[in-house]
Amino acid sequence: MKATVIRRERFSAAHRLYRPDWDDEKNMQVFGKCSWKNYHGHNYLLEVRVTGEIDPETGFVMNLSELKEMIRSVLQEFDHKNLNLDVPEFRELLPSTENLAVVLWNRLRNLIPAKFDLEIYLEETDKNAVVYRGK
Amino acid sequence: MKATVIRRERFSAAHRLYRPDWDDEKNMQVFGKCSWKNYHGHNYLLEVRVTGEIDPETGFVMNLSELKEMIRSVLQEFDHKNLNLDVPEFRELLPSTENLAVVLWNRLRNLIPAKFDLEIYLEETDKNAVVYRGK
Amino acid sequence: MKATVIRRERFSAAHRLYRPDWDDEKNMQVFGKCSWKNYHGHNYLLEVRVTGEIDPETGFVMNLSELKEMIRSVLQEFDHKNLNLDVPEFRELLPSTENLAVVLWNRLRNLIPAKFDLEIYLEETDKNAVVYRGK
Amino acid sequence: MKATVIRRERFSAAHRLYRPDWDDEKNMQVFGKCSWKNYHGHNYLLEVRVTGEIDPETGFVMNLSELKEMIRSVLQEFDHKNLNLDVPEFRELLPSTENLAVVLWNRLRNLIPAKFDLEIYLEETDKNAVVYRGK
Amino acid sequence: MKATVIRRERFSAAHRLYRPDWDDEKNMQVFGKCSWKNYHGHNYLLEVRVTGEIDPETGFVMNLSELKEMIRSVLQEFDHKNLNLDVPEFRELLPSTENLAVVLWNRLRNLIPAKFDLEIYLEETDKNAVVYRGK
Amino acid sequence: MKATVIRRERFSAAHRLYRPDWDDEKNMQVFGKCSWKNYHGHNYLLEVRVTGEIDPETGFVMNLSELKEMIRSVLQEFDHKNLNLDVPEFRELLPSTENLAVVLWNRLRNLIPAKFDLEIYLEETDKNAVVYRGK
C-alpha cells in the first residue's frame, strides 16, 4: 500500500529578481517591484511530499522525524539568509519561486532514499506558490 | 524543467440552486437551504494552477503579474455579483461549485496560452471545494 | 477566576448596501460594488466571546455545547438567507458588517445569562472584520 | 465533464504508537514521544476527495450533504475516541497517520458509490499529513 | 512606549472531562463525548501575550527567543502527554480548556519577569478557545 | 454605538537586526540569525483596528475602502523594500517588529481622523506578532 506523507517547514529569506544583462527599465518591466535594488523578503512555506510503500513494521512511509531533520539540514542554508548572495546556486540563476523550488528539490532528492517519489510545494506568499516534481 | 505555478484570488457572490422545472419540495430535498428563494452568498477562493516549462530567461513558468491580471479580468464579472442573474452562463445552468469551476476554467482557458496545462481549485466554504482540469 | 471562552461558527448570506433615499450614483460612490442591485454574498465567521467566572464544579465559564446551541439558534435566521429581505432588523437598517454585528450581539445578549460579559467578532472576508461589545 | 469534489471534516482522538514486541527503548527510538504510555491526541482534519462526472441535472458530482453524512457516520467511531482501544482495526495495527488514512479510506470506500474515484488527505498536525488513494 | 509581543507554540495532548463523584449519566449529560473513558486528544495552540515597555537598546519588549524557550520548557510537560494522568495539577482539577489555561498561565507567570503583563490565548480546536489574564 | 473595524493588508520586506556599536558576537548573542549581514525578509501581516461610533447614515465606523487606501499609501514605502536601507525611521532605529509597529502606527495616526482610536497588530511570522496602541 502506497501513501504520500507530507511535512511542512517554514523559513524566511531575502531575495531580488534582477538580470544584470538587462537595464533597469527592462528589469522593472518584467520583475516589477521584485527587482528592487536593496532586496525584499518572504516567509516561505515548504511542503515536502514523499510517496512510497507503508512499512508494515512501523506504519510509516518514512519516519517524519527523520524527514524533518533532512528538511531542516537543507533549510539551514536558506533560512534567515539572502538567496542571491548566500546560496551558491543563485550566483547565476534567478531566485524565482520556480527556481527556488528546483534548487530545494535537488538538495532534498540527494537526502531522501531513491525508492521514494518526491514532490515539493513552495509558497512565497499567501497568494503565490509553486509545485515541482523533478521534471 | 516543468513546474506548476499557483495564484490565488478571492471573490464574493450571491447565488441560488433551484430548478424551475421542479417544485419547491423537490428543490428543497435536493438542494436544501441552498435553494432559498432570496439567494445567499459566499466568499469564493479561486486557485489557478498553471503547468509548463520554466523559462530560463525569467525563471518563471508564467509571469504571475500577468496571470493575476488575467484572473482579475475574469473575476470582475463574478465578484460582488449574483451568479444566477448576472452571469450569462448561468441562465440555463445551475451555479453549483462544480459548474462555476467549469465556467471559470473555460474563461481562463481562453486567456492562458495553450502551451500551459490548466487546473483550478475553487473553494465555496472552508469545508467545500472543487477541482476541475477541463475534462 | 475569570476567563473568556470563545466559540466560532460560520454562516453564508447575501446582502446589499443601498440607501433608497440616495440616487444610484451616491450609493455607488459610498458603497461601491457592495451596492450592486442583485446582491452579492459572504461566508461570515462569527466569534462569540463570553467572559465570566470559571465554575469550579465543571471547569467551565459556560458549557460550550450550550453556547453552541444558542449561537446556532440565532444563526439559523441568517444562514443561507438574504440579510436585506429576510432579517426583520434590516428592513430599515443597512446590513453593514458593523450593523450585522450589533444585530447578532443583541440577539445573543437575550440568550446568554446577564452575569457574563459578551463581545463578538464578525468577519465578512479574510480582510474585513468588526468587533462589537454592546456599546 | 469530470470534477473532484472535496469535503472537510474534523475529529479529535487519542492514540499511541507502540509495538508490544519491541522493548521501550526501541519504541522510544523509532516512535519518540508518540510512544508515551498514557496516550496523547490530535485534532485530525480529514479531507475527502471524490472524482466523477458532473450530473447535468443537479450540477453535482455528488451531493455534498450526502457525502457529509457518509463521512460523519464513519467519523463517529473515531471522534472523541482512543484509536488504540476503541477502533477494531487498530487492535493489531499501529495507528500511524498512514494507517489511519488507510482505515478511513476503506470505510469510506464501502459507502461511496464505486463509480467515483476516492482519495483522502488526513492532517494530524499543521505540519504533518498523509494522502492515500487506495493503493 | 508599551507594546504587546505574541508568541505561538503548539502541543498535542490527551485528556478526559470526568468527575468521579458523579455517575456516568451525569458526566455524559454535562461533558458529553468529552467524558469518554479511554480519553481523546487535541492539538492545542498556545498564544502567549506579554505586554511591557519597548527596550530602546534592543527594540524588544522581550527577546522572543528567550520567551520561546520559557514556553517550551513549560510545554514539555504537556506535549505528547495525558493531561489527567501526567500533569500534577489535574489530579484534582478537571482539564477543561479554562483550567488548562489557568495552569499554563501560572507556570508561565513564574518564569516571565513580573514587570510584564501576561495574557494567554489557548485554542483547543479551530472552534473553541479560551483567554486568561490571571484573574 | 461604538464598534471596532478591522482591515488586513500584507507586505513583504527585507530587514536585519544589528547594532553597529556592538561587535558581531554581541549582535549574534542578542539578535541571533536575525543579525545576518546580508538581510533576510518576511511577509508581514498588518491588521489595522479602528474604534469609533457607527455612523447611522452609512452603517460604517469608517468606510473600509478609504481605510484600505490609507493603509496602502503607507505600505507602499515598506512593501518590497529593505526596512534598514529604504525607510528613513530605521536609519537610527532597529527594525524589530515592535519598532516597525510603532512606525506604522505613527504614519497611520497621521491619516486616520483623531476621533477614532487606533490599534495595530503586526505579524512577522505565523509564530511572532506585536500589538501596539500608541503608548
Side-chain angles (χ1 to χ4, degrees):
Chain A
M1 284 178 313
K2 273 195 165 184
T4 301
V5 289
I6 294 171
R7 174 77 191 177
R8 297 186 181 97
E9 296 290 336
R10 291 166 189 274
F11 63 103
S12 297
H15 81 148
R16 176 195 189 193
L17 298 182
Y18 181 82
R19 285 189 71 102
D21 57 332
W22 290 352
D23 61 19
D24 283 6
E25 199 186 337
K26 176 99 190 270
N27 273 290
M28 188 63 201
Q29 185 194 312
V30 174
F31 298 121
K33 58 190 179 180
C34 296
S35 66
W36 180 247
K37 67 179 190 292
N38 291 326
Y39 309 100
H40 63 284
H42 299 290
N43 301 325
Y44 291 93
L45 167 63
L46 172 64
E47 186 174 304
V48 179
R49 303 165 176 174
V50 174
T51 301
E53 293 291 327
I54 303 175
D55 178 341
E57 196 177 34
T58 58
F60 292 157
V61 167
M62 199 178 162
N63 194 319
L64 283 191
S65 69
E66 286 171 32
L67 181 57
K68 179 180 71 175
E69 289 314 314
M70 289 175 187
I71 300 171
R72 292 189 176 176
S73 74
V74 167
L75 290 185
Q76 72 183 352
E77 293 178 54
F78 297 75
D79 185 33
H80 282 71
K81 291 288 189 301
N82 183 308
L83 300 180
N84 302 64
L85 301 179
D86 297 318
V87 177
E89 283 93 333
F90 295 119
R91 272 185 209 132
E92 302 292 323
L93 188 68
L94 281 160
S96 65
T97 318
E98 289 91 328
N99 284 342
L100 181 53
V102 171
V103 165
L104 289 169
W105 189 93
N106 286 336
R107 295 223 190 175
L108 286 162
R109 186 68 281 182
N110 286 335
L111 299 178
I112 294 172
K115 67 179 170 176
F116 298 117
D117 290 330
L118 175 62
E119 175 180 297
I120 69 171
Y121 166 90
L122 178 65
E123 201 174 284
E124 191 190 60
T125 71
D126 67 320
K127 297 200 148 187
N128 298 345
V130 162
V131 174
Y132 182 64
R133 303 166 189 83
K135 180 160 287 193
Chain B
M1 284 176 313
K2 273 195 165 187
T4 301
V5 287
I6 293 171
R7 174 76 192 177
R8 297 186 180 97
E9 295 290 336
R10 291 166 189 273
F11 63 103
S12 298
H15 81 147
R16 177 195 188 193
L17 299 181
Y18 181 82
R19 286 188 70 101
D21 57 331
W22 289 354
D23 61 18
D24 283 6
E25 200 186 334
K26 178 96 190 272
N27 272 290
M28 187 63 201
Q29 185 195 309
V30 174
F31 298 121
K33 58 190 180 182
C34 295
S35 66
W36 181 247
K37 67 178 191 291
N38 290 327
Y39 308 101
H40 63 283
H42 299 289
N43 300 325
Y44 291 93
L45 167 63
L46 173 64
E47 186 174 304
V48 179
R49 302 163 176 176
V50 174
T51 302
E53 292 292 328
I54 303 175
D55 179 342
E57 196 177 33
T58 58
F60 292 158
V61 167
M62 198 178 162
N63 194 319
L64 282 191
S65 69
E66 285 171 33
L67 181 57
K68 178 179 72 173
E69 289 315 313
M70 289 176 187
I71 299 172
R72 291 188 177 176
S73 75
V74 167
L75 289 185
Q76 73 184 351
E77 292 178 54
F78 297 76
D79 185 32
H80 282 71
K81 290 288 190 300
N82 182 309
L83 300 180
N84 302 64
L85 302 178
D86 297 319
V87 177
E89 284 93 332
F90 295 119
R91 273 184 210 132
E92 302 292 324
L93 189 69
L94 281 160
S96 64
T97 318
E98 289 90 329
N99 284 340
L100 180 54
V102 171
V103 166
L104 290 169
W105 189 93
N106 287 335
R107 295 221 189 177
L108 286 162
R109 187 67 281 183
N110 286 335
L111 298 178
I112 293 171
K115 66 179 171 177
F116 297 118
D117 291 328
L118 175 62
E119 175 181 295
I120 68 171
Y121 166 88
L122 179 64
E123 201 174 286
E124 191 190 62
T125 71
D126 67 320
K127 295 199 149 188
N128 298 345
V130 162
V131 174
Y132 182 65
R133 302 164 189 85
K135 178 160 285 195
Chain C
M1 285 177 311
K2 275 194 165 186
T4 300
V5 288
I6 294 172
R7 174 78 192 176
R8 296 186 181 98
E9 297 289 336
R10 291 167 189 272
F11 63 102
S12 297
H15 81 148
R16 176 195 190 195
L17 298 183
Y18 182 82
R19 285 189 71 104
D21 57 331
W22 290 353
D23 59 19
D24 283 7
E25 198 187 336
K26 177 96 188 271
N27 272 289
M28 188 62 201
Q29 183 195 312
V30 175
F31 298 122
K33 57 190 180 180
C34 296
S35 66
W36 180 247
K37 67 178 191 292
N38 290 327
Y39 309 102
H40 64 283
H42 300 289
N43 300 325
Y44 291 93
L45 167 64
L46 173 64
E47 187 174 304
V48 179
R49 303 164 176 174
V50 174
T51 301
E53 292 291 327
I54 303 175
D55 178 342
E57 197 177 32
T58 58
F60 291 157
V61 167
M62 200 178 160
N63 194 320
L64 281 192
S65 69
E66 286 171 33
L67 181 57
K68 178 179 72 174
E69 289 315 313
M70 288 175 187
I71 299 171
R72 292 188 176 178
S73 74
V74 167
L75 289 185
Q76 73 183 351
E77 292 178 54
F78 297 76
D79 185 32
H80 282 70
K81 291 286 190 299
N82 183 308
L83 299 180
N84 301 64
L85 301 179
D86 296 319
V87 177
E89 284 92 333
F90 295 119
R91 274 185 209 131
E92 304 291 324
L93 189 69
L94 281 160
S96 64
T97 318
E98 289 91 327
N99 284 341
L100 180 54
V102 171
V103 165
L104 288 169
W105 190 92
N106 286 336
R107 295 220 190 177
L108 286 162
R109 187 67 279 183
N110 286 336
L111 298 178
I112 293 171
K115 66 179 171 178
F116 298 117
D117 291 329
L118 175 62
E119 175 179 296
I120 68 172
Y121 166 89
L122 179 65
E123 201 174 284
E124 192 190 60
T125 71
D126 68 320
K127 295 200 149 186
N128 299 344
V130 162
V131 174
Y132 183 64
R133 304 165 189 85
K135 177 162 289 194
Chain D
M1 284 178 314
K2 274 195 165 186
T4 301
V5 288
I6 294 171
R7 173 78 192 176
R8 297 187 180 96
E9 297 289 335
R10 292 168 188 272
F11 63 102
S12 297
H15 81 147
R16 176 196 189 193
L17 298 183
Y18 181 83
R19 286 188 69 104
D21 57 332
W22 290 352
D23 60 19
D24 283 7
E25 199 186 337
K26 177 95 190 272
N27 273 289
M28 188 61 200
Q29 183 195 312
V30 174
F31 298 121
K33 58 190 180 181
C34 295
S35 66
W36 180 246
K37 67 179 191 292
N38 291 327
Y39 309 100
H40 63 284
H42 299 289
N43 301 325
Y44 291 93
L45 168 64
L46 172 63
E47 187 173 305
V48 179
R49 301 164 177 174
V50 175
T51 300
E53 293 291 327
I54 303 176
D55 178 343
E57 197 177 33
T58 58
F60 291 158
V61 166
M62 199 177 162
N63 195 320
L64 282 191
S65 70
E66 285 171 34
L67 181 57
K68 178 180 72 174
E69 289 315 314
M70 288 175 187
I71 300 172
R72 291 189 177 177
S73 75
V74 167
L75 289 185
Q76 72 183 350
E77 293 178 54
F78 297 76
D79 185 33
H80 282 71
K81 291 288 189 300
N82 182 309
L83 300 180
N84 301 64
L85 301 178
D86 296 320
V87 177
E89 284 92 334
F90 295 119
R91 274 186 208 130
E92 303 292 323
L93 189 68
L94 280 160
S96 65
T97 317
E98 289 91 327
N99 284 341
L100 180 54
V102 172
V103 165
L104 289 169
W105 190 92
N106 286 336
R107 295 220 189 177
L108 286 162
R109 187 66 281 182
N110 286 335
L111 298 178
I112 293 171
K115 67 179 170 178
F116 297 117
D117 291 329
L118 176 62
E119 175 179 297
I120 69 173
Y121 166 89
L122 179 65
E123 201 174 285
E124 192 190 61
T125 71
D126 68 320
K127 296 199 149 186
N128 299 344
V130 162
V131 174
Y132 183 65
R133 303 164 189 85
K135 180 162 286 195
Chain E
M1 284 176 313
K2 274 194 165 185
T4 300
V5 288
I6 294 172
R7 173 78 192 176
R8 298 186 180 98
E9 296 290 335
R10 293 167 188 273
F11 63 102
S12 297
H15 81 146
R16 177 196 188 195
L17 298 182
Y18 181 83
R19 286 189 69 102
D21 57 330
W22 289 354
D23 60 20
D24 283 6
E25 198 187 337
K26 178 95 189 272
N27 272 290
M28 187 63 200
Q29 184 194 310
V30 174
F31 299 121
K33 59 190 179 181
C34 296
S35 66
W36 180 247
K37 67 179 191 290
N38 290 328
Y39 309 100
H40 62 284
H42 299 289
N43 300 326
Y44 291 93
L45 167 64
L46 173 64
E47 186 175 305
V48 179
R49 302 163 177 175
V50 174
T51 302
E53 292 291 328
I54 303 174
D55 179 341
E57 197 176 32
T58 59
F60 292 157
V61 167
M62 199 177 162
N63 195 320
L64 282 192
S65 68
E66 286 171 32
L67 181 56
K68 178 180 71 173
E69 289 314 314
M70 288 175 187
I71 299 171
R72 292 188 176 176
S73 75
V74 167
L75 289 185
Q76 72 184 352
E77 292 178 54
F78 297 75
D79 185 34
H80 281 70
K81 291 288 190 301
N82 183 308
L83 300 180
N84 301 64
L85 302 179
D86 297 320
V87 177
E89 284 92 333
F90 294 119
R91 274 185 207 131
E92 303 292 323
L93 189 69
L94 281 159
S96 64
T97 318
E98 289 91 327
N99 284 340
L100 180 54
V102 171
V103 165
L104 290 169
W105 190 93
N106 286 334
R107 295 221 190 176
L108 286 162
R109 186 67 280 184
N110 286 336
L111 298 179
I112 293 171
K115 67 179 170 177
F116 297 117
D117 291 329
L118 175 62
E119 176 180 295
I120 68 171
Y121 166 89
L122 179 65
E123 202 174 283
E124 192 190 58
T125 71
D126 67 320
K127 295 198 149 187
N128 298 344
V130 162
V131 174
Y132 182 65
R133 303 164 190 83
K135 178 160 290 193
Chain F
M1 285 177 313
K2 274 195 165 184
T4 300
V5 289
I6 294 171
R7 175 77 191 176
R8 296 185 181 99
E9 296 291 336
R10 292 168 188 272
F11 64 103
S12 298
H15 80 148
R16 177 196 188 193
L17 299 182
Y18 181 82
R19 286 189 70 103
D21 57 331
W22 290 352
D23 61 19
D24 283 7
E25 198 187 337
K26 177 96 189 273
N27 273 290
M28 187 63 200
Q29 184 194 311
V30 174
F31 298 121
K33 57 190 179 181
C34 296
S35 65
W36 181 247
K37 66 179 190 291
N38 290 328
Y39 309 100
H40 63 284
H42 300 288
N43 301 324
Y44 291 94
L45 167 65
L46 172 64
E47 186 174 303
V48 179
R49 302 165 177 172
V50 174
T51 302
E53 292 291 328
I54 303 175
D55 178 341
E57 197 177 33
T58 58
F60 292 157
V61 167
M62 199 176 162
N63 195 320
L64 283 191
S65 68
E66 286 172 33
L67 181 57
K68 179 180 71 174
E69 289 315 314
M70 289 175 187
I71 299 172
R72 291 188 177 177
S73 75
V74 168
L75 290 185
Q76 72 183 352
E77 293 178 54
F78 297 75
D79 185 34
H80 282 69
K81 291 287 190 300
N82 183 309
L83 300 180
N84 301 65
L85 301 179
D86 297 319
V87 177
E89 284 93 332
F90 295 119
R91 276 186 207 130
E92 303 292 323
L93 189 68
L94 281 160
S96 65
T97 318
E98 289 91 327
N99 284 341
L100 180 54
V102 171
V103 166
L104 289 169
W105 190 94
N106 286 335
R107 296 223 190 174
L108 286 162
R109 186 68 280 183
N110 285 336
L111 299 178
I112 293 171
K115 67 178 170 177
F116 298 117
D117 291 330
L118 175 63
E119 175 180 297
I120 69 171
Y121 166 90
L122 178 65
E123 203 174 285
E124 192 190 60
T125 71
D126 68 319
K127 296 199 149 187
N128 298 345
V130 161
V131 175
Y132 183 65
R133 301 165 190 83
K135 180 161 286 193

